[in-house]
């Protein structure tokens, strides 16, 4: 098992020490552990604070901690430094410019909002909606992010909680999956959503993945160290995908760099 989707307390909704994520991962038999906490966004309004990502002032401590753990545990586990980040059109370039000096190794795209998060028109994608306009915006915004070529893969691609017709859902998600495949990105089967019975993973989506033959990675989306000990949820996810005829891949991040 490799896992590239791991959070820390700096995002303000995860729990546990950085070290505990490493030691629990080692105990669980994970060979490659990527930390990808929610990146800060450089918001134009300095009075706006996002409630579920690290602040810019947190980044240096995050980088120092992960790099120290990488060195300390180098003989037991391979550790990598990354971020989970949104594609917000007006913020993306400035945010990357801020992050690049810190020497991160990879980014995963986790598109939680349409538009730019701080704008009144922004929609949190986990909120149920029947709006085809919002659905289209989610897909096109995520694809625009992937087209930058900056990402390792797309996290929880089926996060969008569309409550309209199945026909529309399947048509649009087939387009989404085909475009992701053309761009060469894996899609993530998210164990946090799976364990908590969220609206994702969505079986309709994964049936489409089966037909399109997208590459699939499994990720814990770890918000506490203890999740690595839940081998059952991992095994259940493997069976869920196997029953659909999907075999997950393991990413070799060294080949991606």
């Amino acid at each position: 098992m490799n896992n590239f989707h791991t959070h820390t307390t700096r995002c303000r909704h995860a729990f546990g020490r950085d070290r505990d994520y490493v030691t629990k991962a080692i105990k669980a038999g994970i060979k490659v552990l990527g930390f990808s906490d929610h990146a800060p966004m450089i918001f134009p309004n300095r009075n706006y604070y996002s409630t579920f990502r690290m602040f810019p002032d947190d980044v240096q401590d995050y980088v120092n901690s992960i790099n120290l753990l990488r060195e300390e545990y180098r003989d037991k586990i391979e550790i990598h430094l990354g971020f989970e980040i949104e594609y917000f059109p007006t913020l993306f370039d400035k945010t990357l410019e801020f992050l690049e000096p810190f020497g991160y190794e990879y980014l995963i795209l986790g598109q939680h909002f349409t538009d730019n998060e701080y704008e009144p028109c922004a929609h949190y994608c986990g909120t149920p909606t029947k709006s085809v306009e919002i659905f289209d915006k989610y897909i096109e915004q995520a694809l625009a992010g992937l087209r930058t070529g900056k990402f390792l893969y797309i996290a929880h691609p089926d996060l969008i909680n569309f409550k309209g017709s199945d026909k529309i859902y399947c048509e649009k998600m087939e387009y989404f999956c085909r475009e992701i495949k053309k761009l060469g990105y894996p899609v993530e089967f998210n164990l946090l959503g799976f364990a908590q019975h969220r609206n994702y993973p969505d079986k309709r989506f994964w049936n489409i993945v089966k037909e399109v033959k997208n590459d699939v990675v499994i990720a814990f989306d770890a918000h506490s160290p203890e999740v690595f000990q839940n081998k059952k949820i991992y095994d259940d996810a493997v069976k869920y995908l196997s029953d659909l005829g999907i075999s997950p891949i393991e990413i070799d991040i060294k080949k991606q760099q």
Side-chain angles (χ1 to χ4, degrees):
M1 294 187 294
N2 297 345
N3 182 67
F4 289 96
H5 197 165
T6 310
H7 294 280
T8 76
T9 56
R10 297 168 190 84
C11 70
R12 293 161 176 80
H13 62 280
F15 305 92
R17 300 183 306 164
D18 299 348
R19 178 181 302 277
D20 293 336
Y21 283 92
V22 174
T23 57
K24 293 288 189 183
I26 292 169
K27 189 173 180 180
I30 292 172
K31 302 300 182 185
V32 182
L33 180 65
F35 281 88
S36 53
D37 207 0
H38 291 282
M41 304 300 294
I42 308 304
F43 294 109
N45 181 352
R46 294 189 177 275
N47 292 321
Y48 179 85
Y49 293 95
S50 180
T51 58
F52 74 100
R53 66 180 79 254
M54 68 173 75
F55 295 159
D57 290 347
D58 296 324
V59 176
Q60 189 64 67
D61 179 68
Y62 172 65
V63 170
N64 291 346
S65 175
I66 304 313
N67 283 337
L68 284 171
L69 290 167
R70 185 210 313 262
E71 180 62 21
E72 181 178 347
Y73 289 94
R74 66 186 184 277
D75 295 331
K76 296 181 178 179
I77 193 170
E78 185 179 311
I79 295 175
H80 293 281
L81 174 68
F83 292 96
E84 179 180 3
I85 190 170
E86 318 267 343
Y87 180 72
F88 294 153
T90 64
L91 307 181
F92 189 68
D93 290 342
K94 288 182 180 179
T95 300
L96 286 194
E97 184 179 346
F98 170 76
L99 292 175
E100 281 168 359
F102 292 99
Y104 66 84
E105 296 171 88
Y106 71 97
L107 303 172
I108 58 175
L109 176 62
Q111 196 69 40
H112 298 86
F113 286 87
T114 62
D115 299 288
N116 298 287
E117 178 187 333
Y118 60 92
E119 297 173 325
C121 60
H123 174 83
Y124 176 67
C125 297
T127 303
T129 181
K130 291 185 177 181
S131 170
V132 175
E133 181 182 1
I134 287 173
F135 195 7
D136 283 338
K137 191 173 285 187
Y138 167 76
I139 289 172
E140 291 307 326
Q141 194 163 332
L143 289 175
L146 293 176
R147 287 179 185 127
T148 67
K150 298 293 186 181
F151 294 97
L152 185 64
Y153 68 75
I154 179 169
H156 41 63
D158 47 344
L159 171 66
I160 185 71
N161 196 359
F162 181 69
K163 295 298 187 182
S165 77
D166 286 347
K167 182 175 184 292
I168 291 173
Y169 181 91
C170 292
E171 286 175 354
K172 293 189 178 297
M173 282 306 206
E174 181 177 351
Y175 163 76
F176 192 32
C177 287
R178 290 193 185 282
E179 290 300 306
I180 293 170
K181 184 176 176 64
K182 286 179 190 175
L183 292 167
Y185 290 102
V187 294
E188 178 197 82
F189 188 90
N190 187 278
L191 292 183
L192 177 62
F194 189 56
Q196 295 184 355
H197 306 289
R198 297 183 178 184
N199 65 288
Y200 62 94
D202 189 306
K203 189 124 186 205
R204 297 170 297 175
F205 180 85
W206 292 96
N207 274 310
I208 294 166
V209 168
K210 171 190 174 181
E211 296 303 318
V212 175
K213 296 183 170 54
N214 296 87
D215 285 337
V216 174
V217 296
I218 295 177
F220 279 93
D221 195 356
H223 284 73
S224 69
E226 287 70 29
V227 300
F228 294 132
Q229 303 301 123
N230 192 347
K231 189 171 185 302
K232 182 180 186 304
I233 200 68
Y234 183 88
D235 290 343
D236 286 350
V238 171
K239 183 179 186 305
Y240 179 102
L241 292 170
S242 178
D243 288 347
L244 290 171
I246 297 172
S247 297
I249 66 167
E250 287 191 352
I251 293 174
D252 185 346
I253 194 169
K254 292 176 182 176
K255 290 183 179 179
Q256 306 290 325
Q257 295 171 338

